[in-house]
Amino acid sequence: MKIRIDPLDKQFSLYIRSRANWKCEKCGTQYTPPTAGLQCSHFVGRANQQTRYDDKNCSALCFHCHQYFTANPYEHTEWMRKKLGDKEFEALNRRANWRSGKIDKKLIKIWLMKELKLKEIKEKKEMCCGGKFVKKFCALHMGKAEKKKQGKKG
């Protein structure tokens, strides 16, 4: 049975791939966004509502690596355990087996939009400030710093 992909799934997939900087987390192949070549892979399948939008449950994988892990679940398990660490891996499995009823998609959407916005802001600062989060080195932010100084003087 194929699971329907709704708009929230598409946004979540974008977040996971963006979080990985559009690079396959297994083989390291770099992609230029947007692309379907890099996929959001769920360790615990999307049918499990408790972990469907759990960012610890997902990895950005190229088509080849995604298919490889699907065909080799033991290796996928070992890779995820190494990626997350034993403690977080066990916590993910507990969440996957927790049956608490319906999930709140509105709340997930709010969280997801916040995470995407924070990532966008971070990327703009990196481009603008050469990776330094020191505002005084960036001409764009320097104007703001100068205004603050002038406001303190007056």
Side-chain angles (χ1 to χ4, degrees), residues 88-99:
E88 187 58 48
F89 182 80
E90 294 305 324
L92 172 62
N93 281 310
R94 284 192 299 279
R95 290 192 302 275
N97 290 302
W98 183 289
R99 299 291 176 235

Side-chain angles (χ1 to χ4, degrees), residues 31-89:
Y31 289 85
T32 302
T35 180
L38 189 64
Q39 303 172 346
C40 175
S41 170
H42 290 72
F43 177 68
V44 178
R46 285 187 303 119
N48 185 317
Q49 293 296 306
Q50 303 310 314
T51 54
R52 184 173 183 153
Y53 302 106
D54 187 327
D55 63 339
K56 300 283 193 237
N57 183 45
C58 297
S59 304
L61 298 176
C62 67
F63 175 79
H64 173 74
C65 291
H66 197 177
Q67 291 299 106
Y68 178 81
F69 277 153
T70 299
N72 298 280
Y74 176 78
E75 289 186 44
H76 194 190
T77 300
E78 292 305 306
W79 184 82
M80 279 298 282
R81 184 180 292 278
K82 185 176 178 183
K83 176 185 169 187
L84 297 175
D86 288 335
K87 189 175 180 179
E88 187 58 48
F89 182 80

Side-chain angles (χ1 to χ4, degrees), residues 8-45:
L8 187 57
D9 289 308
K10 290 179 182 179
Q11 285 295 97
F12 184 72
S13 174
L14 175 68
Y15 165 67
I16 295 298
R17 295 176 293 151
S18 175
R19 178 186 71 180
N21 294 314
W22 296 90
K23 183 185 269 191
C24 176
E25 293 181 57
K26 183 177 184 300
C27 72
T29 301
Q30 185 70 52
Y31 289 85
T32 302
T35 180
L38 189 64
Q39 303 172 346
C40 175
S41 170
H42 290 72
F43 177 68
V44 178

